[in-house]
Amino acid sequence: MLRKSRNPSESSVFSKIYNFFVSISRHSRESLIDLACVTALIGYFLHFALPSLRGGFGADEPMNLYFYWHPGILRCLWANVCFWSNFYRPAGALYYLPLYDFFGLNPEPYRIVQVGIVAASIPIIYWLSRLLTTSRSVAFLGTIIVSYHADLANLVFRGSMIYDALCGLFYFTALAYYIHVREQRANLRSLQITVFLLLYIFALNAKEMAVTLPVIALIYEVLKWPSLGDWKLFVRQNSRSAIPPLVAGVLAAIYIYGKTHGSGPLVEAEVYRPQYSWHTFLESNAQFVNELRFHHGPIPVVALLLLWAGVFFYAFMRRDRTLLLMAFWVVLVPLPIAFLRPIRSGACLYLLLFGWAIIFAKVVSDLILLVLKYSTSLGQSVGFGATIGTVIGASVGHRPRGAAIGAAIGAAIAACAAKLAPRKFRACAMTLVILGIAIATQWENQRLGRAAGILEFGQRTVQAIERFRSLNLQPASGSNILLKSSFPFKNEWTPLFIASLVWNDHSLQIWLEGKNKLSQQQLTKVNYVILFTESEAKLLRSPESPQL
């Protein structure tokens, strides 16, 4: 009896359906693993960040909020459109004003949103790392380093660093979106270019650090197409893909011109005037590297140059596009702050940290493979692993403690090399490194103790606000008010900022004794006189009681 043959077209249909469901199953499994990784990363971050909810207001936050409250929401929104204007970091208004309208001067919602913004950046950083490295373990290791750095604790513990948090969120999102499209071998369409540029403008409106994004995107394009033998052919084939970075570069040029000409908070402040010199550039970058490795003493400039040269040499020898991009990243990304004095630190290094974190993760991945190669002799491999771990631990962390952690992890990895299959060994080794990073971060966080100091200082501003509220005073609209303050604020104008925000009345004319020069005629028009000291706020004169 002959078996009935299946129609070829029917077989083809079943094959396509089967392959479709297999693809969905594989994709779902990969997505679930990535989701688990992101969940673990956010949980790790929240372990360190949740205490910041008790942080109160930083010394600069009344000033920041006043800068957006005084001109009003419409001018702030327009400033976000006119990103080149001298308006001070207008993206901050999108954070401060809605919170102020809903919660007033209650600091906890501000801290919750700030922690949420940094937490929202973590899956984006992981996504960007996956796009660049194509390795889940390398992306996870790089992202866990960026998620929380003990020397950058003010990114979540100090409210005035919201600009760095917002800039990081939009910078990483814009770059990840751009690379996501380009890795699919597709040029950005008009709508995609618009999305990329809007994200970039938001990053610019958050902080000046974002000006480097077009250069990074352009370098990515050049490295993506490394065949440069025929320049005419190269330009003809790739000119369209370079349009988004070039347009973003034009926006950056307009932004820089607008911010550096005319009058404005940044141009007029001495601390924002660059001091262009090769010495300043190298000294600043040496300090940046030191801080990221938990050291605050300067390293020799020669050591910095050798480090940069080593990263470029390693990237070229490995023929690794991601390493090359990160090599350019660690030199170019800090340019907006590299010529400023005093040297920047803390949250200002958020973007720079990403470059060094990816380089570190790639080097660790290569060293694990190297240990695996020398696993034929257990004794040799243990000593080899311990030596490598000691060198890395001492170079990237606090020397004694980092060396001890590195040696222990290196020896453990090498001991596993001879006993596990290569795939299991790589997973086990990377897990040990990640655990070592987490332990070292916990220890450094306790050793530096930055969080406790920031929390304590933040409560002083809250106490000053509460003292002013204790007056239970709401002046009549259009009143003239004179503040006499002896409160030792970092910014002497802070009493005026606090009074304006507590009363929330744009019709009030508030003067600060010693800062505003008043004529005799203006003094006669004063309706209220208020004394503001560290221990109390006291009403000295009011229309109801001219002399108290």
Side-chain angles (χ1 to χ4, degrees), residues 228-286:
L228 305 178
D230 187 342
W231 272 99
K232 291 182 180 179
L233 179 63
F234 173 80
V235 172
R236 188 164 58 250
Q237 290 181 342
N238 303 304
S239 57
R240 187 179 175 188
S241 62
I243 289 175
L246 291 175
V247 174
V250 172
L251 296 182
I254 295 172
Y255 173 87
I256 292 170
Y257 181 84
K259 294 296 183 182
T260 55
H261 289 74
S263 61
L266 293 182
V267 176
E268 294 175 354
E270 184 67 30
V271 293
Y272 287 106
R273 291 177 186 168
Q275 301 177 21
Y276 295 110
S277 74
W278 179 245
H279 173 75
T280 302
F281 173 72
L282 293 178
E283 186 181 12
S284 296
N285 276 279

Side-chain angles (χ1 to χ4, degrees), residues 102-236:
F102 282 102
F103 304 104
L105 294 177
N106 176 16
E108 189 173 13
Y110 293 78
R111 301 291 71 81
I112 291 173
V113 173
Q114 184 167 356
V115 169
I117 288 170
V118 181
S121 302
I122 291 173
I124 295 166
I125 293 170
Y126 177 77
W127 178 34
L128 176 59
S129 303
R130 288 277 278 135
L131 290 169
L132 290 172
T133 64
T134 66
S135 167
R136 182 177 288 111
S137 59
V138 173
F140 190 92
L141 177 57
T143 306
I144 202 171
I145 294 171
V146 181
S147 296
Y148 185 84
H149 189 287
D151 238 347
L152 276 62
N154 53 6
L155 183 67
V156 289
F157 281 86
R158 182 165 289 157
S160 56
M161 296 299 168
I162 186 61
Y163 302 107
D164 298 271
L166 287 170
C167 181
L169 174 65
F170 290 116
Y171 192 105
F172 290 127
T173 303
L175 188 60
Y177 178 74
Y178 178 84
I179 292 177
H180 168 70
V181 177
R182 295 294 293 122
E183 287 296 310
Q184 296 175 345
R185 299 282 178 179
N187 290 319
L188 273 71
R189 298 188 297 273
S190 298
L191 179 59
Q192 292 170 324
I193 293 175
T194 302
V195 172
F196 169 68
L197 294 177
L198 284 175
L199 289 169
Y200 178 52
I201 289 172
F202 275 119
L204 285 174
N205 284 340
K207 197 170 183 185
E208 304 73 32
M209 288 290 290
V211 295
T212 58
L213 180 58
V215 180
I216 296 297
L218 196 59
I219 292 173
Y220 165 83
E221 289 294 343
V222 173
L223 295 175
K224 187 176 178 65
W225 305 99
S227 180
L228 305 178
D230 187 342
W231 272 99
K232 291 182 180 179
L233 179 63
F234 173 80
V235 172
R236 188 164 58 250

Side-chain angles (χ1 to χ4, degrees), residues 267-395:
V267 176
E268 294 175 354
E270 184 67 30
V271 293
Y272 287 106
R273 291 177 186 168
Q275 301 177 21
Y276 295 110
S277 74
W278 179 245
H279 173 75
T280 302
F281 173 72
L282 293 178
E283 186 181 12
S284 296
N285 276 279
Q287 183 61 41
F288 299 157
V289 171
N290 265 338
E291 186 157 343
L292 293 180
R293 56 191 284 268
F294 301 108
H295 286 258
H296 297 117
I299 63 171
V301 169
V302 174
L304 174 69
L305 294 174
L306 288 175
L307 178 62
W308 282 345
V311 170
F312 275 99
F313 177 77
Y314 178 63
F316 276 112
M317 290 296 294
R318 290 275 285 105
R319 297 182 179 179
D320 190 308
R321 286 193 300 120
T322 299
L323 277 173
L324 274 172
L325 180 62
M326 294 301 103
F328 283 106
W329 183 292
V330 298
V331 177
L332 297 176
V333 164
L335 277 175
I337 58 173
F339 297 100
L340 300 179
R341 292 300 182 92
I343 296 175
R344 288 347 188 222
S345 61
C348 296
L349 308 182
Y350 185 35
L351 297 181
L352 176 61
L353 176 61
F354 175 80
W356 285 115
I358 296 299
I359 291 171
F360 176 79
K362 295 279 280 186
V363 169
V364 166
S365 178
D366 286 348
L367 286 174
I368 288 172
L369 294 177
L370 189 64
V371 171
L372 182 62
K373 183 179 179 181
Y374 284 92
S375 63
T376 53
S377 170
L378 181 61
Q380 275 189 346
S381 65
V382 170
F384 180 67
T387 302
I388 291 177
T390 302
V391 172
I392 293 178
S395 61

